[in-house]
Structures are given as C-alpha cells and as structure tokens.
Amino acid sequence: MYEPDATIKEKIEHIGNKLPFEKKLNIVAGNGYFGKKKKEYTASKIVITKAMGTSDVMDWNLESITKRDIRVSDEVVKIMNGWNNEYLNTSVSVGKAGKPSEEELAQIEKFKKNGWI
C-alpha cells in the first residue's frame, strides 16, 4: 500500500518511532533497514532498546509506529496515574484544627518580611 510522503514524514516524528539508542551504536546501525538496526539494538545497554533487538517484531512500518504510539502512551498514562495516586495519598501535617502553630506564624511573617512570599 502506498502512503503519501507527508504521512510518512509525520509518522517518523511520532513517539512510537523513537527509541533511545547509544550514539556510537546508532552510527553503526545508520539509517538502514529495520532488520539491520535490530541486530545493533541487541548490543544496547538500554533495556527497552535491547528488548526491541530480541523481540519478535520483524517489520517496522506505519502500522508498527501506530501500535507503539498506543503502547507508549498507555505506559505514560500508567506512570502519571501512579504519581497522582502517590500525591493524593501524601498526608500533610497541619497544626491543631488546621491552623498554623505560633512558630509557623512567626516563620510566615519572617518570609513575608524577607519578600519570599
């Protein structure tokens, strides 16, 4: 199936087409076909790149990029949700009845005096 150059150029910049790769290995792999680059990926010290080198993925095309876009996006959302849950479960200690202590009030006044708040 023929894809317009504009579609191909746009997909090349998608996150699903990006893979961290050591500069030296990337130079060796060049802009060759996926099969050639995949062999170089196995030498990477970057876990996700090494995994791609040993994966059963045989073709790297627009469909592959779209699938990886979705997988990468899902992982980012999962990480962000985890961070959000950790943030929401963080307790903040507040003085009695939710009011600052005398010491905290003195600190606030000092901060105001110094122009920090």
Short mmCIF file of all heavy atoms in Angstrom, two decimals, residues 16-65:
data_model
loop_
_atom_site.label_atom_id
_atom_site.label_comp_id
_atom_site.label_asym_id
_atom_site.label_seq_id
_atom_site.Cartn_x
_atom_site.Cartn_y
_atom_site.Cartn_z
N GLY A 16 6.11 6.70 18.93
CA GLY A 16 6.16 5.28 18.64
C GLY A 16 7.30 4.89 17.70
O GLY A 16 7.63 3.72 17.58
N ASN A 17 7.90 5.88 17.05
CA ASN A 17 9.01 5.62 16.15
C ASN A 17 10.35 5.94 16.82
O ASN A 17 11.40 5.79 16.21
CB ASN A 17 8.88 6.43 14.86
CG ASN A 17 9.84 5.98 13.79
OD1 ASN A 17 9.98 4.79 13.54
ND2 ASN A 17 10.52 6.93 13.19
N LYS A 18 10.31 6.39 18.05
CA LYS A 18 11.54 6.78 18.75
C LYS A 18 11.98 5.67 19.70
O LYS A 18 11.17 5.01 20.32
CB LYS A 18 11.31 8.08 19.54
CG LYS A 18 10.81 9.23 18.70
CD LYS A 18 11.80 9.61 17.63
CE LYS A 18 11.29 10.77 16.81
NZ LYS A 18 12.12 11.07 15.68
N LEU A 19 13.28 5.50 19.78
CA LEU A 19 13.85 4.50 20.66
C LEU A 19 15.19 5.05 21.14
O LEU A 19 16.03 5.45 20.32
CB LEU A 19 14.06 3.20 19.87
CG LEU A 19 14.24 1.90 20.63
CD1 LEU A 19 13.04 1.59 21.50
CD2 LEU A 19 14.45 0.76 19.65
N PRO A 20 15.43 5.11 22.44
CA PRO A 20 16.72 5.60 22.91
C PRO A 20 17.82 4.63 22.46
O PRO A 20 17.66 3.42 22.51
CB PRO A 20 16.59 5.62 24.43
CG PRO A 20 15.48 4.67 24.74
CD PRO A 20 14.58 4.65 23.54
N PHE A 21 18.92 5.19 21.99
CA PHE A 21 19.97 4.35 21.41
C PHE A 21 21.29 5.07 21.57
O PHE A 21 21.41 6.25 21.23
CB PHE A 21 19.63 4.12 19.93
CG PHE A 21 20.32 2.94 19.28
CD1 PHE A 21 20.78 1.85 19.99
CD2 PHE A 21 20.48 2.94 17.91
CE1 PHE A 21 21.38 0.78 19.36
CE2 PHE A 21 21.09 1.87 17.26
CZ PHE A 21 21.53 0.79 17.99
N GLU A 22 22.29 4.37 22.07
CA GLU A 22 23.60 4.97 22.25
C GLU A 22 24.13 5.51 20.92
O GLU A 22 23.98 4.87 19.88
CB GLU A 22 24.61 3.93 22.79
CG GLU A 22 24.31 3.44 24.18
CD GLU A 22 23.41 2.22 24.25
OE1 GLU A 22 22.70 1.92 23.26
OE2 GLU A 22 23.39 1.57 25.29
N LYS A 23 24.74 6.69 20.98
CA LYS A 23 25.19 7.37 19.76
C LYS A 23 26.11 6.49 18.91
O LYS A 23 25.93 6.38 17.70
CB LYS A 23 25.90 8.67 20.12
CG LYS A 23 26.28 9.51 18.93
CD LYS A 23 26.86 10.84 19.35
CE LYS A 23 27.17 11.69 18.13
NZ LYS A 23 27.65 13.00 18.50
N LYS A 24 27.07 5.83 19.54
CA LYS A 24 28.03 5.01 18.79
C LYS A 24 27.33 3.88 18.04
O LYS A 24 27.60 3.63 16.87
CB LYS A 24 29.09 4.46 19.75
CG LYS A 24 30.25 3.81 19.07
CD LYS A 24 31.32 3.43 20.09
CE LYS A 24 32.53 2.87 19.39
NZ LYS A 24 33.59 2.52 20.33
N LEU A 25 26.40 3.19 18.73
CA LEU A 25 25.67 2.11 18.09
C LEU A 25 24.74 2.64 16.99
O LEU A 25 24.56 2.00 15.96
CB LEU A 25 24.85 1.32 19.12
CG LEU A 25 25.65 0.50 20.12
CD1 LEU A 25 24.73 -0.09 21.18
CD2 LEU A 25 26.44 -0.59 19.42
N ASN A 26 24.16 3.80 17.22
CA ASN A 26 23.27 4.39 16.23
C ASN A 26 24.02 4.72 14.95
O ASN A 26 23.51 4.52 13.85
CB ASN A 26 22.60 5.65 16.79
CG ASN A 26 21.40 6.08 16.00
OD1 ASN A 26 20.74 5.28 15.35
ND2 ASN A 26 21.10 7.36 16.05
N ILE A 27 25.26 5.18 15.08
CA ILE A 27 26.08 5.48 13.90
C ILE A 27 26.36 4.19 13.13
O ILE A 27 26.26 4.15 11.90
CB ILE A 27 27.39 6.19 14.31
CG1 ILE A 27 27.07 7.60 14.82
CG2 ILE A 27 28.38 6.23 13.16
CD1 ILE A 27 28.22 8.30 15.50
N VAL A 28 26.68 3.13 13.86
CA VAL A 28 26.95 1.84 13.21
C VAL A 28 25.70 1.34 12.49
O VAL A 28 25.77 0.87 11.35
CB VAL A 28 27.41 0.79 14.26
CG1 VAL A 28 27.48 -0.60 13.65
CG2 VAL A 28 28.77 1.17 14.83
N ALA A 29 24.54 1.47 13.15
CA ALA A 29 23.29 0.98 12.56
C ALA A 29 22.86 1.84 11.37
O ALA A 29 22.25 1.36 10.44
CB ALA A 29 22.19 0.95 13.61
N GLY A 30 23.19 3.14 11.45
CA GLY A 30 22.84 4.04 10.36
C GLY A 30 21.36 4.12 10.12
O GLY A 30 20.54 3.83 10.99
N ASN A 31 21.00 4.51 8.92
CA ASN A 31 19.59 4.61 8.56
C ASN A 31 19.17 3.39 7.75
O ASN A 31 18.35 3.48 6.84
CB ASN A 31 19.33 5.90 7.76
CG ASN A 31 19.32 7.11 8.66
OD1 ASN A 31 18.94 7.03 9.82
ND2 ASN A 31 19.77 8.23 8.13
N GLY A 32 19.75 2.27 8.07
CA GLY A 32 19.47 1.04 7.33
C GLY A 32 18.09 0.50 7.61
O GLY A 32 17.30 1.07 8.35
N TYR A 33 17.83 -0.61 7.02
CA TYR A 33 16.55 -1.27 7.21
C TYR A 33 16.43 -1.75 8.64
O TYR A 33 17.43 -1.99 9.33
CB TYR A 33 16.43 -2.45 6.24
CG TYR A 33 16.29 -2.00 4.81
CD1 TYR A 33 17.38 -2.01 3.94
CD2 TYR A 33 15.07 -1.54 4.33
CE1 TYR A 33 17.25 -1.58 2.63
CE2 TYR A 33 14.93 -1.12 3.02
CZ TYR A 33 16.03 -1.13 2.17
OH TYR A 33 15.89 -0.70 0.89
N PHE A 34 15.21 -1.94 9.08
CA PHE A 34 14.94 -2.34 10.45
C PHE A 34 15.69 -3.61 10.84
O PHE A 34 16.24 -3.70 11.93
CB PHE A 34 13.43 -2.51 10.67
CG PHE A 34 13.07 -2.98 12.04
CD1 PHE A 34 13.27 -2.16 13.14
CD2 PHE A 34 12.52 -4.23 12.24
CE1 PHE A 34 12.94 -2.59 14.41
CE2 PHE A 34 12.19 -4.67 13.51
CZ PHE A 34 12.40 -3.84 14.60
N GLY A 35 15.75 -4.58 9.95
CA GLY A 35 16.45 -5.83 10.24
C GLY A 35 17.90 -5.61 10.62
O GLY A 35 18.41 -6.22 11.55
N LYS A 36 18.57 -4.70 9.93
CA LYS A 36 19.97 -4.38 10.24
C LYS A 36 20.07 -3.65 11.58
O LYS A 36 20.92 -3.97 12.41
CB LYS A 36 20.58 -3.52 9.13
CG LYS A 36 22.01 -3.15 9.38
CD LYS A 36 22.58 -2.24 8.31
CE LYS A 36 24.00 -1.85 8.68
NZ LYS A 36 24.48 -0.69 7.97
N LYS A 37 19.21 -2.68 11.78
CA LYS A 37 19.25 -1.92 13.03
C LYS A 37 18.91 -2.81 14.22
O LYS A 37 19.49 -2.67 15.29
CB LYS A 37 18.28 -0.74 12.96
CG LYS A 37 18.73 0.35 12.01
CD LYS A 37 17.82 1.54 12.06
CE LYS A 37 18.45 2.54 12.97
NZ LYS A 37 17.96 3.90 12.82
N LYS A 38 17.97 -3.73 14.01
CA LYS A 38 17.53 -4.61 15.09
C LYS A 38 18.72 -5.41 15.64
O LYS A 38 18.82 -5.60 16.86
CB LYS A 38 16.43 -5.54 14.58
CG LYS A 38 15.79 -6.37 15.65
CD LYS A 38 14.63 -7.17 15.11
CE LYS A 38 14.12 -8.10 16.17
NZ LYS A 38 13.04 -8.94 15.73
N LYS A 39 19.62 -5.84 14.79
CA LYS A 39 20.81 -6.57 15.24
C LYS A 39 21.65 -5.69 16.16
O LYS A 39 22.20 -6.16 17.15
CB LYS A 39 21.64 -7.04 14.05
CG LYS A 39 20.98 -8.14 13.26
CD LYS A 39 21.80 -8.50 12.03
CE LYS A 39 21.02 -9.47 11.15
NZ LYS A 39 21.67 -9.70 9.86
N GLU A 40 21.76 -4.41 15.83
CA GLU A 40 22.54 -3.49 16.65
C GLU A 40 21.85 -3.21 17.99
O GLU A 40 22.51 -2.96 18.99
CB GLU A 40 22.80 -2.18 15.90
CG GLU A 40 23.60 -2.34 14.63
CD GLU A 40 24.99 -2.94 14.86
OE1 GLU A 40 25.59 -2.68 15.91
OE2 GLU A 40 25.47 -3.66 13.97
N TYR A 41 20.53 -3.24 18.01
CA TYR A 41 19.79 -2.99 19.25
C TYR A 41 20.17 -4.00 20.34
O TYR A 41 20.18 -3.66 21.52
CB TYR A 41 18.28 -3.07 19.03
CG TYR A 41 17.69 -1.98 18.16
CD1 TYR A 41 16.45 -2.15 17.57
CD2 TYR A 41 18.35 -0.78 17.93
CE1 TYR A 41 15.88 -1.16 16.78
CE2 TYR A 41 17.80 0.21 17.14
CZ TYR A 41 16.56 0.02 16.57
OH TYR A 41 16.00 0.99 15.79
N THR A 42 20.50 -5.22 19.96
CA THR A 42 20.84 -6.23 20.97
C THR A 42 22.10 -5.88 21.74
O THR A 42 22.31 -6.37 22.85
CB THR A 42 21.01 -7.63 20.33
OG1 THR A 42 22.06 -7.57 19.38
CG2 THR A 42 19.72 -8.10 19.67
N ALA A 43 22.95 -5.02 21.18
CA ALA A 43 24.18 -4.61 21.86
C ALA A 43 23.96 -3.42 22.80
O ALA A 43 24.87 -3.04 23.53
CB ALA A 43 25.25 -4.25 20.82
N SER A 44 22.76 -2.86 22.80
CA SER A 44 22.47 -1.69 23.62
C SER A 44 22.45 -2.03 25.11
O SER A 44 22.08 -3.13 25.49
CB SER A 44 21.13 -1.09 23.21
OG SER A 44 20.82 0.03 24.02
N LYS A 45 22.82 -1.06 25.92
CA LYS A 45 22.73 -1.21 27.37
C LYS A 45 21.40 -0.65 27.89
O LYS A 45 21.11 -0.74 29.07
CB LYS A 45 23.89 -0.50 28.05
CG LYS A 45 25.22 -1.17 27.75
CD LYS A 45 26.37 -0.48 28.42
CE LYS A 45 27.67 -1.19 28.04
NZ LYS A 45 28.84 -0.46 28.44
N ILE A 46 20.61 -0.08 26.99
CA ILE A 46 19.31 0.49 27.35
C ILE A 46 18.28 -0.64 27.25
O ILE A 46 18.11 -1.24 26.20
CB ILE A 46 18.95 1.66 26.43
CG1 ILE A 46 20.04 2.74 26.51
CG2 ILE A 46 17.58 2.23 26.78
CD1 ILE A 46 19.94 3.82 25.45
N VAL A 47 17.63 -0.93 28.36
CA VAL A 47 16.76 -2.10 28.47
C VAL A 47 15.71 -2.15 27.36
O VAL A 47 15.55 -3.18 26.70
CB VAL A 47 16.09 -2.15 29.87
CG1 VAL A 47 15.07 -3.26 29.94
CG2 VAL A 47 17.14 -2.31 30.95
N ILE A 48 14.99 -1.05 27.13
CA ILE A 48 13.92 -1.07 26.15
C ILE A 48 14.46 -1.28 24.73
O ILE A 48 13.84 -1.93 23.90
CB ILE A 48 13.04 0.21 26.23
CG1 ILE A 48 11.77 0.05 25.40
CG2 ILE A 48 13.82 1.45 25.80
CD1 ILE A 48 10.74 1.14 25.63
N THR A 49 15.65 -0.76 24.47
CA THR A 49 16.25 -0.90 23.14
C THR A 49 16.74 -2.33 22.94
O THR A 49 16.52 -2.94 21.88
CB THR A 49 17.40 0.11 22.97
OG1 THR A 49 16.87 1.43 23.21
CG2 THR A 49 17.99 0.06 21.58
N LYS A 50 17.39 -2.87 23.97
CA LYS A 50 17.85 -4.26 23.89
C LYS A 50 16.66 -5.21 23.69
O LYS A 50 16.72 -6.15 22.91
CB LYS A 50 18.62 -4.63 25.16
CG LYS A 50 19.30 -5.98 25.09
CD LYS A 50 20.11 -6.20 26.35
CE LYS A 50 21.16 -7.23 26.16
NZ LYS A 50 22.37 -6.74 25.53
N ALA A 51 15.55 -4.92 24.38
CA ALA A 51 14.34 -5.74 24.25
C ALA A 51 13.81 -5.70 22.82
O ALA A 51 13.35 -6.71 22.30
CB ALA A 51 13.27 -5.28 25.23
N MET A 52 13.88 -4.54 22.18
CA MET A 52 13.43 -4.45 20.79
C MET A 52 14.33 -5.32 19.91
O MET A 52 13.85 -5.97 18.97
CB MET A 52 13.45 -3.00 20.30
CG MET A 52 13.02 -2.83 18.86
SD MET A 52 11.35 -3.41 18.49
CE MET A 52 10.41 -2.05 19.12
N GLY A 53 15.61 -5.37 20.21
CA GLY A 53 16.55 -6.17 19.42
C GLY A 53 16.28 -7.66 19.51
O GLY A 53 16.57 -8.40 18.58
N THR A 54 15.73 -8.08 20.63
CA THR A 54 15.46 -9.52 20.81
C THR A 54 13.97 -9.85 20.66
O THR A 54 13.58 -10.99 20.88
CB THR A 54 15.95 -9.99 22.20
OG1 THR A 54 15.29 -9.22 23.21
CG2 THR A 54 17.45 -9.84 22.33
N SER A 55 13.18 -8.86 20.28
CA SER A 55 11.73 -9.08 20.14
C SER A 55 11.42 -9.85 18.87
O SER A 55 12.27 -10.03 18.00
CB SER A 55 11.00 -7.73 20.12
OG SER A 55 11.22 -7.09 18.87
N ASP A 56 10.17 -10.27 18.77
CA ASP A 56 9.75 -10.97 17.56
C ASP A 56 9.22 -10.02 16.49
O ASP A 56 8.68 -10.44 15.49
CB ASP A 56 8.71 -12.04 17.90
CG ASP A 56 7.47 -11.48 18.57
OD1 ASP A 56 7.42 -10.26 18.81
OD2 ASP A 56 6.53 -12.25 18.85
N VAL A 57 9.36 -8.72 16.73
CA VAL A 57 8.96 -7.73 15.73
C VAL A 57 9.86 -7.86 14.52
O VAL A 57 11.08 -7.82 14.63
CB VAL A 57 9.05 -6.29 16.31
CG1 VAL A 57 8.75 -5.25 15.24
CG2 VAL A 57 8.12 -6.13 17.50
N MET A 58 9.26 -8.07 13.37
CA MET A 58 10.04 -8.29 12.14
C MET A 58 9.98 -7.11 11.18
O MET A 58 10.87 -6.92 10.37
CB MET A 58 9.55 -9.56 11.41
CG MET A 58 9.67 -10.82 12.25
SD MET A 58 11.31 -11.09 12.97
CE MET A 58 12.26 -11.44 11.52
N ASP A 59 8.91 -6.34 11.26
CA ASP A 59 8.74 -5.20 10.35
C ASP A 59 8.57 -3.93 11.15
O ASP A 59 8.01 -3.93 12.25
CB ASP A 59 7.49 -5.40 9.47
CG ASP A 59 7.65 -6.53 8.49
OD1 ASP A 59 8.73 -6.62 7.87
OD2 ASP A 59 6.71 -7.33 8.36
N TRP A 60 9.05 -2.85 10.58
CA TRP A 60 8.87 -1.54 11.19
C TRP A 60 8.24 -0.66 10.13
O TRP A 60 8.90 -0.19 9.23
CB TRP A 60 10.21 -0.96 11.66
CG TRP A 60 10.01 0.13 12.65
CD1 TRP A 60 10.18 1.46 12.45
CD2 TRP A 60 9.58 -0.01 14.00
NE1 TRP A 60 9.88 2.15 13.58
CE2 TRP A 60 9.50 1.27 14.56
CE3 TRP A 60 9.23 -1.10 14.79
CZ2 TRP A 60 9.12 1.49 15.86
CZ3 TRP A 60 8.84 -0.87 16.09
CH2 TRP A 60 8.80 0.41 16.61
N ASN A 61 6.92 -0.49 10.26
CA ASN A 61 6.19 0.26 9.26
C ASN A 61 5.23 1.21 9.96
O ASN A 61 5.25 1.33 11.19
CB ASN A 61 5.46 -0.69 8.30
CG ASN A 61 4.61 -1.70 9.05
OD1 ASN A 61 4.12 -1.44 10.15
ND2 ASN A 61 4.43 -2.88 8.49
N LEU A 62 4.38 1.87 9.19
CA LEU A 62 3.46 2.84 9.80
C LEU A 62 2.52 2.19 10.81
O LEU A 62 2.22 2.78 11.85
CB LEU A 62 2.66 3.56 8.70
CG LEU A 62 3.49 4.39 7.72
CD1 LEU A 62 2.59 5.07 6.71
CD2 LEU A 62 4.34 5.41 8.44
N GLU A 63 2.10 0.98 10.54
CA GLU A 63 1.23 0.27 11.49
C GLU A 63 1.98 -0.01 12.79
O GLU A 63 1.43 0.14 13.89
CB GLU A 63 0.73 -1.03 10.87
CG GLU A 63 -0.26 -1.77 11.76
CD GLU A 63 -0.75 -3.08 11.14
OE1 GLU A 63 -0.54 -3.30 9.93
OE2 GLU A 63 -1.31 -3.87 11.89
N SER A 64 3.24 -0.40 12.69
CA SER A 64 4.06 -0.66 13.89
C SER A 64 4.21 0.60 14.72
O SER A 64 4.14 0.56 15.95
CB SER A 64 5.45 -1.16 13.49
OG SER A 64 5.40 -2.31 12.72
N ILE A 65 4.42 1.73 14.04
CA ILE A 65 4.58 3.00 14.74
C ILE A 65 3.29 3.35 15.48
O ILE A 65 3.32 3.75 16.65
CB ILE A 65 4.99 4.12 13.76
CG1 ILE A 65 6.39 3.83 13.20
CG2 ILE A 65 4.95 5.49 14.44
CD1 ILE A 65 6.79 4.71 12.03
#
